[in-house]
Short mmCIF file of all heavy atoms in Angstrom, two decimals:
data_model
loop_
_atom_site.label_atom_id
_atom_site.label_comp_id
_atom_site.label_asym_id
_atom_site.label_seq_id
_atom_site.Cartn_x
_atom_site.Cartn_y
_atom_site.Cartn_z
N MET N 1 0.83 -1.20 0.00
CA MET N 1 0.00 0.00 0.00
C MET N 1 0.87 1.25 0.00
O MET N 1 1.80 1.36 0.77
CB MET N 1 -0.91 -0.01 1.24
CG MET N 1 -1.99 1.03 1.18
SD MET N 1 -3.08 0.96 2.62
CE MET N 1 -2.14 1.96 3.77
N GLU N 2 0.51 2.17 -0.86
CA GLU N 2 1.29 3.40 -0.94
C GLU N 2 0.75 4.44 0.04
O GLU N 2 -0.46 4.65 0.14
CB GLU N 2 1.22 3.97 -2.36
CG GLU N 2 2.13 3.25 -3.34
CD GLU N 2 3.59 3.56 -3.07
OE1 GLU N 2 3.94 4.74 -2.98
OE2 GLU N 2 4.37 2.60 -2.97
N VAL N 3 1.65 5.05 0.76
CA VAL N 3 1.26 6.13 1.65
C VAL N 3 1.77 7.43 1.06
O VAL N 3 2.92 7.54 0.68
CB VAL N 3 1.88 5.93 3.05
CG1 VAL N 3 1.50 7.09 3.96
CG2 VAL N 3 1.40 4.63 3.65
N GLU N 4 0.88 8.40 0.97
CA GLU N 4 1.28 9.64 0.30
C GLU N 4 1.33 10.83 1.22
O GLU N 4 1.76 11.90 0.83
CB GLU N 4 0.32 9.93 -0.85
CG GLU N 4 0.52 8.96 -2.00
CD GLU N 4 -0.59 9.06 -3.03
OE1 GLU N 4 -1.30 10.06 -3.01
OE2 GLU N 4 -0.71 8.14 -3.83
N PHE N 5 0.89 10.61 2.47
CA PHE N 5 0.84 11.75 3.37
C PHE N 5 1.53 11.45 4.69
O PHE N 5 1.53 10.32 5.17
CB PHE N 5 -0.61 12.15 3.64
CG PHE N 5 -1.35 12.55 2.39
CD1 PHE N 5 -2.13 11.65 1.71
CD2 PHE N 5 -1.21 13.84 1.90
CE1 PHE N 5 -2.79 12.02 0.54
CE2 PHE N 5 -1.86 14.23 0.74
CZ PHE N 5 -2.65 13.32 0.06
N CYS N 6 2.09 12.50 5.25
CA CYS N 6 2.72 12.40 6.56
C CYS N 6 1.67 12.09 7.62
O CYS N 6 0.63 12.75 7.67
CB CYS N 6 3.42 13.72 6.86
SG CYS N 6 4.05 13.83 8.53
N ILE N 7 1.95 11.13 8.46
CA ILE N 7 0.98 10.72 9.47
C ILE N 7 0.82 11.79 10.55
O ILE N 7 -0.20 11.87 11.22
CB ILE N 7 1.39 9.36 10.07
CG1 ILE N 7 0.21 8.71 10.80
CG2 ILE N 7 2.60 9.49 10.98
CD1 ILE N 7 0.41 7.26 11.15
N SER N 8 1.83 12.61 10.72
CA SER N 8 1.79 13.62 11.79
C SER N 8 1.11 14.91 11.36
O SER N 8 0.29 15.46 12.08
CB SER N 8 3.21 13.93 12.27
OG SER N 8 3.86 12.75 12.69
N CYS N 9 1.45 15.41 10.20
CA CYS N 9 0.94 16.72 9.80
C CYS N 9 0.04 16.66 8.57
O CYS N 9 -0.60 17.64 8.23
CB CYS N 9 2.09 17.69 9.57
SG CYS N 9 3.10 17.29 8.14
N GLY N 10 -0.01 15.51 7.90
CA GLY N 10 -0.89 15.36 6.76
C GLY N 10 -0.36 15.94 5.47
O GLY N 10 -1.04 15.94 4.45
N LYS N 11 0.87 16.42 5.50
CA LYS N 11 1.49 16.99 4.32
C LYS N 11 1.85 15.88 3.32
O LYS N 11 2.11 14.75 3.71
CB LYS N 11 2.76 17.73 4.74
CG LYS N 11 3.07 18.95 3.91
CD LYS N 11 4.11 19.80 4.60
CE LYS N 11 5.53 19.35 4.25
NZ LYS N 11 6.54 20.26 4.77
N GLY N 12 1.89 16.23 2.05
CA GLY N 12 2.29 15.27 1.03
C GLY N 12 3.75 14.87 1.19
O GLY N 12 4.56 15.61 1.73
N LEU N 13 4.07 13.67 0.72
CA LEU N 13 5.43 13.14 0.92
C LEU N 13 6.28 13.24 -0.34
O LEU N 13 7.13 12.41 -0.59
CB LEU N 13 5.35 11.68 1.37
CG LEU N 13 4.76 11.45 2.76
CD1 LEU N 13 4.73 9.96 3.04
CD2 LEU N 13 5.57 12.16 3.83
N ASN N 14 6.06 14.27 -1.12
CA ASN N 14 6.84 14.40 -2.34
C ASN N 14 8.17 15.12 -2.10
O ASN N 14 8.97 15.27 -3.00
CB ASN N 14 6.02 15.09 -3.43
CG ASN N 14 5.25 16.28 -2.90
OD1 ASN N 14 5.62 16.82 -1.83
ND2 ASN N 14 4.22 16.70 -3.59
N GLU N 15 8.37 15.54 -0.89
CA GLU N 15 9.58 16.27 -0.52
C GLU N 15 10.75 15.31 -0.32
O GLU N 15 10.58 14.21 0.19
CB GLU N 15 9.28 16.98 0.80
CG GLU N 15 10.22 18.07 1.19
CD GLU N 15 9.81 18.67 2.54
OE1 GLU N 15 8.87 18.16 3.17
OE2 GLU N 15 10.44 19.64 2.94
N GLU N 16 11.92 15.75 -0.66
CA GLU N 16 13.10 14.93 -0.43
C GLU N 16 13.35 14.79 1.07
O GLU N 16 13.20 15.77 1.81
CB GLU N 16 14.33 15.57 -1.09
CG GLU N 16 15.43 14.57 -1.36
CD GLU N 16 16.62 15.23 -2.02
OE1 GLU N 16 16.39 16.08 -2.91
OE2 GLU N 16 17.75 14.90 -1.65
N GLY N 17 13.68 13.60 1.52
CA GLY N 17 13.89 13.38 2.94
C GLY N 17 12.70 12.77 3.64
O GLY N 17 12.77 12.42 4.80
N SER N 18 11.59 12.65 2.92
CA SER N 18 10.42 11.99 3.48
C SER N 18 10.68 10.48 3.55
O SER N 18 11.41 9.93 2.74
CB SER N 18 9.20 12.22 2.60
OG SER N 18 9.00 13.58 2.38
N VAL N 19 10.08 9.84 4.52
CA VAL N 19 10.27 8.39 4.65
C VAL N 19 8.93 7.68 4.77
O VAL N 19 7.96 8.22 5.26
CB VAL N 19 11.12 8.03 5.89
CG1 VAL N 19 12.57 8.40 5.67
CG2 VAL N 19 10.59 8.66 7.15
N ILE N 20 8.94 6.46 4.30
CA ILE N 20 7.78 5.58 4.44
C ILE N 20 8.30 4.28 5.03
O ILE N 20 9.28 3.72 4.54
CB ILE N 20 7.11 5.33 3.08
CG1 ILE N 20 6.52 6.63 2.54
CG2 ILE N 20 6.01 4.28 3.21
CD1 ILE N 20 6.00 6.50 1.11
N PHE N 21 7.69 3.84 6.10
CA PHE N 21 8.17 2.60 6.73
C PHE N 21 7.01 1.89 7.42
O PHE N 21 5.99 2.49 7.71
CB PHE N 21 9.28 2.92 7.74
CG PHE N 21 8.86 3.87 8.83
CD1 PHE N 21 8.41 3.40 10.04
CD2 PHE N 21 8.90 5.25 8.61
CE1 PHE N 21 8.02 4.29 11.04
CE2 PHE N 21 8.51 6.14 9.61
CZ PHE N 21 8.07 5.65 10.82
N LYS N 22 7.21 0.64 7.69
CA LYS N 22 6.19 -0.14 8.40
C LYS N 22 6.29 0.16 9.88
O LYS N 22 7.37 0.41 10.40
CB LYS N 22 6.44 -1.63 8.17
CG LYS N 22 6.30 -2.06 6.74
CD LYS N 22 4.91 -2.51 6.44
CE LYS N 22 4.92 -3.19 5.08
NZ LYS N 22 3.64 -3.28 4.46
N CYS N 23 5.16 0.11 10.54
CA CYS N 23 5.15 0.29 11.98
C CYS N 23 6.11 -0.71 12.63
O CYS N 23 6.05 -1.90 12.36
CB CYS N 23 3.73 0.04 12.50
SG CYS N 23 3.63 -0.10 14.28
N PRO N 24 7.04 -0.22 13.47
CA PRO N 24 8.03 -1.11 14.07
C PRO N 24 7.43 -2.06 15.09
O PRO N 24 8.05 -3.04 15.47
CB PRO N 24 9.03 -0.16 14.73
CG PRO N 24 8.40 1.18 14.75
CD PRO N 24 7.23 1.18 13.83
N ASN N 25 6.24 -1.79 15.52
CA ASN N 25 5.60 -2.65 16.52
C ASN N 25 4.77 -3.76 15.87
O ASN N 25 5.03 -4.93 16.11
CB ASN N 25 4.74 -1.81 17.46
CG ASN N 25 4.22 -2.62 18.62
OD1 ASN N 25 4.99 -3.28 19.32
ND2 ASN N 25 2.92 -2.60 18.82
N CYS N 26 3.81 -3.40 15.04
CA CYS N 26 2.95 -4.42 14.46
C CYS N 26 3.39 -4.82 13.06
O CYS N 26 3.04 -5.90 12.59
CB CYS N 26 1.49 -3.96 14.45
SG CYS N 26 1.16 -2.58 13.35
N GLY N 27 4.14 -3.96 12.39
CA GLY N 27 4.63 -4.28 11.06
C GLY N 27 3.55 -4.35 10.00
O GLY N 27 3.79 -4.80 8.89
N GLU N 28 2.38 -3.88 10.32
CA GLU N 28 1.27 -4.00 9.39
C GLU N 28 0.88 -2.67 8.77
O GLU N 28 0.49 -2.59 7.62
CB GLU N 28 0.05 -4.59 10.09
CG GLU N 28 0.19 -6.07 10.33
CD GLU N 28 -1.05 -6.63 11.02
OE1 GLU N 28 -2.17 -6.24 10.63
OE2 GLU N 28 -0.88 -7.42 11.95
N TYR N 29 0.97 -1.63 9.57
CA TYR N 29 0.55 -0.33 9.07
C TYR N 29 1.75 0.41 8.48
O TYR N 29 2.83 0.42 9.07
CB TYR N 29 -0.07 0.48 10.20
CG TYR N 29 -0.85 1.66 9.68
CD1 TYR N 29 -2.17 1.51 9.28
CD2 TYR N 29 -0.26 2.92 9.59
CE1 TYR N 29 -2.89 2.57 8.78
CE2 TYR N 29 -0.97 3.99 9.09
CZ TYR N 29 -2.29 3.81 8.69
OH TYR N 29 -2.99 4.88 8.20
N THR N 30 1.55 0.98 7.32
CA THR N 30 2.63 1.73 6.68
C THR N 30 2.51 3.19 7.05
O THR N 30 1.47 3.81 6.85
CB THR N 30 2.57 1.55 5.16
OG1 THR N 30 2.53 0.17 4.86
CG2 THR N 30 3.79 2.18 4.51
N ILE N 31 3.59 3.71 7.60
CA ILE N 31 3.60 5.06 8.14
C ILE N 31 4.46 5.96 7.25
O ILE N 31 5.57 5.59 6.86
CB ILE N 31 4.16 5.03 9.58
CG1 ILE N 31 3.16 4.32 10.51
CG2 ILE N 31 4.48 6.44 10.09
CD1 ILE N 31 3.74 3.90 11.83
N GLY N 32 3.96 7.12 6.95
CA GLY N 32 4.73 8.09 6.19
C GLY N 32 5.07 9.29 7.05
O GLY N 32 4.26 9.72 7.86
N ARG N 33 6.28 9.79 6.88
CA ARG N 33 6.66 10.98 7.64
C ARG N 33 7.39 11.94 6.73
O ARG N 33 8.26 11.55 5.97
CB ARG N 33 7.59 10.61 8.81
CG ARG N 33 6.94 9.72 9.82
CD ARG N 33 7.80 9.59 11.04
NE ARG N 33 7.60 10.72 11.93
CZ ARG N 33 8.48 11.12 12.83
NH1 ARG N 33 9.64 10.53 12.93
NH2 ARG N 33 8.22 12.14 13.62
N CYS N 34 7.04 13.20 6.86
CA CYS N 34 7.70 14.20 6.03
C CYS N 34 9.02 14.62 6.68
O CYS N 34 9.27 14.33 7.85
CB CYS N 34 6.79 15.40 5.81
SG CYS N 34 6.59 16.42 7.27
N ARG N 35 9.81 15.30 5.94
CA ARG N 35 11.13 15.69 6.40
C ARG N 35 11.08 16.59 7.63
O ARG N 35 11.83 16.41 8.58
CB ARG N 35 11.84 16.41 5.25
CG ARG N 35 13.20 16.88 5.59
CD ARG N 35 13.80 17.48 4.35
NE ARG N 35 14.97 18.28 4.68
CZ ARG N 35 15.68 18.93 3.77
NH1 ARG N 35 15.32 18.88 2.51
NH2 ARG N 35 16.72 19.62 4.11
N SER N 36 10.18 17.57 7.61
CA SER N 36 10.16 18.50 8.73
C SER N 36 9.73 17.81 10.02
O SER N 36 10.26 18.11 11.09
CB SER N 36 9.27 19.70 8.42
OG SER N 36 7.99 19.30 8.02
N CYS N 37 8.79 16.87 9.95
CA CYS N 37 8.39 16.16 11.15
C CYS N 37 9.52 15.26 11.65
O CYS N 37 9.70 15.08 12.85
CB CYS N 37 7.12 15.34 10.90
SG CYS N 37 5.65 16.37 10.80
N ARG N 38 10.30 14.70 10.77
CA ARG N 38 11.45 13.90 11.18
C ARG N 38 12.46 14.78 11.87
O ARG N 38 13.02 14.44 12.91
CB ARG N 38 12.10 13.26 9.95
CG ARG N 38 11.43 11.97 9.53
CD ARG N 38 12.14 11.42 8.31
NE ARG N 38 13.53 11.11 8.59
CZ ARG N 38 14.54 11.28 7.73
NH1 ARG N 38 14.30 11.74 6.54
NH2 ARG N 38 15.75 10.96 8.06
N GLU N 39 12.73 15.93 11.29
CA GLU N 39 13.75 16.82 11.84
C GLU N 39 13.34 17.37 13.20
O GLU N 39 14.15 17.57 14.07
CB GLU N 39 14.04 17.95 10.86
CG GLU N 39 14.87 17.47 9.67
CD GLU N 39 15.11 18.57 8.66
OE1 GLU N 39 14.48 19.64 8.77
OE2 GLU N 39 15.93 18.33 7.76
N MET N 40 12.05 17.61 13.35
CA MET N 40 11.57 18.15 14.62
C MET N 40 11.26 17.06 15.63
O MET N 40 10.92 17.33 16.77
CB MET N 40 10.31 18.99 14.39
CG MET N 40 10.61 20.26 13.61
SD MET N 40 9.20 21.38 13.58
CE MET N 40 7.98 20.40 12.73
N GLY N 41 11.34 15.80 15.20
CA GLY N 41 11.08 14.69 16.10
C GLY N 41 9.64 14.62 16.55
O GLY N 41 9.35 14.23 17.68
N VAL N 42 8.73 14.98 15.64
CA VAL N 42 7.31 14.92 15.96
C VAL N 42 6.89 13.46 16.15
O VAL N 42 7.29 12.59 15.39
CB VAL N 42 6.49 15.57 14.83
CG1 VAL N 42 4.99 15.43 15.09
CG2 VAL N 42 6.86 17.03 14.68
N LYS N 43 6.13 13.22 17.16
CA LYS N 43 5.68 11.85 17.44
C LYS N 43 4.69 11.38 16.39
O LYS N 43 3.94 12.16 15.83
CB LYS N 43 5.01 11.79 18.81
CG LYS N 43 5.98 11.71 19.94
CD LYS N 43 5.22 11.40 21.23
CE LYS N 43 6.17 11.33 22.41
NZ LYS N 43 5.43 11.08 23.65
N TYR N 44 4.68 10.08 16.19
CA TYR N 44 3.66 9.49 15.33
C TYR N 44 3.00 8.36 16.10
O TYR N 44 3.56 7.82 17.05
CB TYR N 44 4.27 8.96 14.03
CG TYR N 44 5.28 7.85 14.22
CD1 TYR N 44 4.88 6.53 14.32
CD2 TYR N 44 6.63 8.14 14.32
CE1 TYR N 44 5.79 5.51 14.50
CE2 TYR N 44 7.55 7.13 14.50
CZ TYR N 44 7.14 5.81 14.59
OH TYR N 44 8.04 4.81 14.78
N LYS N 45 1.80 8.03 15.68
CA LYS N 45 1.08 6.96 16.34
C LYS N 45 0.50 6.04 15.29
O LYS N 45 -0.15 6.49 14.35
CB LYS N 45 -0.03 7.55 17.21
CG LYS N 45 -0.71 6.52 18.08
CD LYS N 45 -1.69 7.19 19.03
CE LYS N 45 -2.32 6.17 19.96
NZ LYS N 45 -3.29 6.79 20.87
N CYS N 46 0.74 4.76 15.47
CA CYS N 46 0.19 3.77 14.55
C CYS N 46 -1.30 3.62 14.83
O CYS N 46 -1.68 3.30 15.95
CB CYS N 46 0.91 2.44 14.73
SG CYS N 46 0.16 1.10 13.79
N PRO N 47 -2.14 3.86 13.83
CA PRO N 47 -3.58 3.75 14.05
C PRO N 47 -4.02 2.31 14.29
O PRO N 47 -5.11 2.07 14.78
CB PRO N 47 -4.18 4.27 12.74
CG PRO N 47 -3.07 4.88 11.98
CD PRO N 47 -1.81 4.25 12.47
N LYS N 48 -3.17 1.41 13.93
CA LYS N 48 -3.54 0.00 14.04
C LYS N 48 -3.30 -0.55 15.45
O LYS N 48 -4.15 -1.18 16.03
CB LYS N 48 -2.72 -0.79 13.02
CG LYS N 48 -3.26 -2.17 12.78
CD LYS N 48 -3.13 -2.53 11.32
CE LYS N 48 -3.95 -3.77 11.02
NZ LYS N 48 -4.22 -3.92 9.60
N CYS N 49 -2.09 -0.32 15.97
CA CYS N 49 -1.76 -0.91 17.27
C CYS N 49 -1.57 0.13 18.37
O CYS N 49 -1.40 -0.21 19.53
CB CYS N 49 -0.50 -1.77 17.14
SG CYS N 49 0.98 -0.83 16.77
N GLY N 50 -1.56 1.40 17.99
CA GLY N 50 -1.42 2.44 19.01
C GLY N 50 0.00 2.74 19.40
O GLY N 50 0.25 3.53 20.32
N PHE N 51 0.96 2.13 18.73
CA PHE N 51 2.37 2.37 19.02
C PHE N 51 2.74 3.82 18.73
O PHE N 51 2.40 4.37 17.70
CB PHE N 51 3.24 1.43 18.17
CG PHE N 51 4.71 1.68 18.32
CD1 PHE N 51 5.41 1.14 19.37
CD2 PHE N 51 5.40 2.42 17.36
CE1 PHE N 51 6.77 1.36 19.50
CE2 PHE N 51 6.77 2.64 17.49
CZ PHE N 51 7.45 2.12 18.56
N GLU N 52 3.47 4.43 19.67
CA GLU N 52 3.93 5.80 19.46
C GLU N 52 5.44 5.81 19.37
O GLU N 52 6.13 5.20 20.17
CB GLU N 52 3.50 6.69 20.62
CG GLU N 52 2.08 7.17 20.49
CD GLU N 52 1.74 8.22 21.53
OE1 GLU N 52 2.47 9.21 21.61
OE2 GLU N 52 0.75 8.02 22.25
N GLY N 53 5.94 6.52 18.38
CA GLY N 53 7.39 6.57 18.21
C GLY N 53 7.87 7.98 17.89
O GLY N 53 7.07 8.81 17.47
N PRO N 54 9.11 8.22 18.07
CA PRO N 54 9.70 9.52 17.79
C PRO N 54 10.04 9.67 16.29
O PRO N 54 10.18 8.67 15.62
CB PRO N 54 10.99 9.52 18.60
CG PRO N 54 11.33 8.09 18.79
CD PRO N 54 10.07 7.28 18.66
ZN1 ZN R 1 4.86 15.93 8.67
ZN1 ZN R 2 1.43 -0.66 14.56
#
């Protein structure tokens, strides 16, 4: 499944430095994060298992 938006701020992930990865806890939900949220260390939460990560 393709993720096109940052899970934290909802911004599109067309920016360089954006990442898409599977939830490290359940491995089922694909999480997208934009560059600015990564740099600022904004928390994300997996909607599937509730895992929160930096
Ligand atoms: Zn973001
Ligand atoms: Zn999860």
Side-chain angles (χ1 to χ4, degrees):
M1 192 178 85
E2 282 289 309
V3 178
E4 288 169 17
F5 299 96
C6 172
I7 197 167
S8 304
C9 68
K11 213 166 86 173
L13 293 179
N14 43 21
E15 195 180 6
E16 202 179 319
S18 306
V19 288
I20 294 172
F21 58 95
K22 296 268 192 200
C23 169
N25 188 53
C26 67
E28 285 180 43
Y29 196 84
T30 308
I31 291 164
R33 297 190 83 203
C34 72
R35 179 176 165 180
S36 53
C37 286
R38 276 180 61 217
E39 285 177 349
M40 292 190 298
V42 176
K43 279 190 181 178
Y44 63 86
K45 188 173 183 181
C46 173
K48 195 142 193 161
C49 67
F51 175 82
E52 278 189 54

